Amino acid sequence: MRLLPLFAAGILVLSGCAGAPPAPPPTTGPAPAQPGIASRPGAVVASPSDVTGTRFIRVLLSGGTPEVVLEGETLRAWGADGSLAAEAAGRVTLVAVGERIRWNGSRLLGDTLDVAGAPDLRVGNRERVGRVRLLARKGELLAVAVVPLEAYVAAVVSREAPPRFLPEALAAQAVAVRTYAAGAAVKPRDPAYDVVGGVEDQVFDGMDGVPAVFREAAGRTRGLVVRYRGELARTVYHSTCGGRTEDAGSVWGKDVPYLRAQFCDDCSDSPVYRWEYRMSEAEGRRLAKALGVPPGKDLRIAVTGRTPAGRASRVQISSGGVSRELQAAEFRKAAGYAKVRSLKMEIVPVAGGWRFTGEGWGHGVGMCQFGANGMARRGAGFREILARYYPGTEISGETP
Ligand SMILES: [Zn+2]
């Protein structure tokens, strides 16, 4: 359930970790990457073991298709039994054939391959993904990067926050990202991986060219996580709350003691603190139709319910005697997250359509990223920032 944050045109396209289920402690995997590929990557996706002291997280890079393309100057693949299975230079196409993997249009190998590249390994458009485990499952090929946790944290923060954020805000973000990942490793999404490398969890685009500010944010908070009564917290975040965060219970139906609505007066410099969207009549009609209300001349779209913190919780669409009231979140998804940026909004019918005016971007639960930066500007440290947005929690080393 995470949402996603990208910065397009200087605007935080949001979505921070939305609400995916808590993530878990990273399994410890292979030894740290070595220059070159002298040896087998090791049991990269095996059970946790802290032999090397480096913790790893398993990140799903691609799935749902039969084919994965890998690139590297040289590539080497090992089978599940540890024996060298194939070598290649340049670009290799792997295809799942049932429960087996076809290597570059020729040999049919087993259902599992661990691949390392020198000097780097590229999967699709992601550069420097570390080592990758490929698994064939009923004709689908999963590509799972096994990434050192701290490198993952720096890479994710670089996608989830703008480089112009102050160091304490980036440090708070790093702790939130690490905690989410650590939680995912405790309760993996799938036996084969801990997190998805996209908006469902946290955006991971490889470790290539991660600016120093992000590596520093991860480095100076190394190993620190947020806990609530000893358990890893679900450190969700969003771009901009617009003045007040939201209760987890109002968004996801389940209360979480440390994810409660908080007043936030620190995000007013966000480019999306206030927003407006004009929905044309034609678009409103398309949307109504898509949501099951045949649009007539009397089409109405209105907020009919609000959470205690003031966000829209229900939206009603009606026309010609047909009326449907739906979850506001479902309406927002159908309308587009980049158009209806938050549910802290009003809908006003105007000539030619509707005017949506609102505050903030994202689901509003947990840490407000622009608020964190505003606090940092006031002199707050990352611990203070995390304590505000995750009240009642504490920060500790990753190992209890
Ligand atoms: Zn805020």
Side-chain angles (χ1 to χ4, degrees), residues 77-262:
W78 292 263
D81 64 355
S83 61
L84 188 64
E87 287 183 277
R91 180 185 164 98
V92 170
T93 301
L94 302 179
V95 177
V97 180
E99 309 290 323
R100 301 183 69 185
I101 300 172
R102 187 178 295 285
W103 178 269
N104 236 5
S106 58
R107 300 168 52 206
L108 207 48
L109 306 173
D111 64 353
T112 303
L113 283 181
D114 290 330
V115 182
D120 291 320
L121 181 59
R122 177 185 165 100
V123 179
N125 59 2
R126 292 175 166 108
E127 301 268 7
R128 282 194 61 216
V129 297
R131 288 164 172 170
V132 171
R133 170 162 280 197
L134 294 132
L135 302 111
R137 273 189 191 169
K138 298 179 182 168
E140 175 192 5
L141 194 57
L142 304 183
V144 178
V146 182
V147 182
L149 177 62
E150 296 300 333
Y152 168 84
V153 170
V156 170
V157 175
S158 78
R159 294 309 310 273
E160 302 274 356
R164 64 185 167 82
F165 270 20
L166 295 170
E168 293 300 323
L170 294 178
Q173 181 77 57
V175 176
V177 167
R178 182 181 301 106
T179 305
Y180 186 91
V186 169
K187 251 194 230 172
R189 274 188 173 258
D190 184 282
Y193 55 88
D194 303 315
V195 291
V196 175
V199 300
E200 300 91 332
D201 284 314
Q202 303 187 117
V203 177
F204 174 76
D205 285 334
M207 297 173 282
D208 190 50
V210 172
V213 287
F214 301 115
R215 285 184 275 116
E216 284 158 15
R220 58 182 288 245
T221 62
R222 185 178 182 87
L224 297 181
V225 290
V226 179
R227 292 182 183 278
Y228 179 75
R229 295 186 177 173
E231 300 289 320
L232 288 162
R234 181 168 158 181
T235 47
V236 294
Y237 47 90
H238 57 279
S239 161
T240 303
C241 74
R244 192 174 183 188
T245 67
E246 182 56 278
D247 288 320
S250 296
V251 177
W252 298 311
K254 192 176 173 204
D255 278 325
V256 178
Y258 52 86
L259 295 177
R260 296 205 179 282
Q262 309 287 329

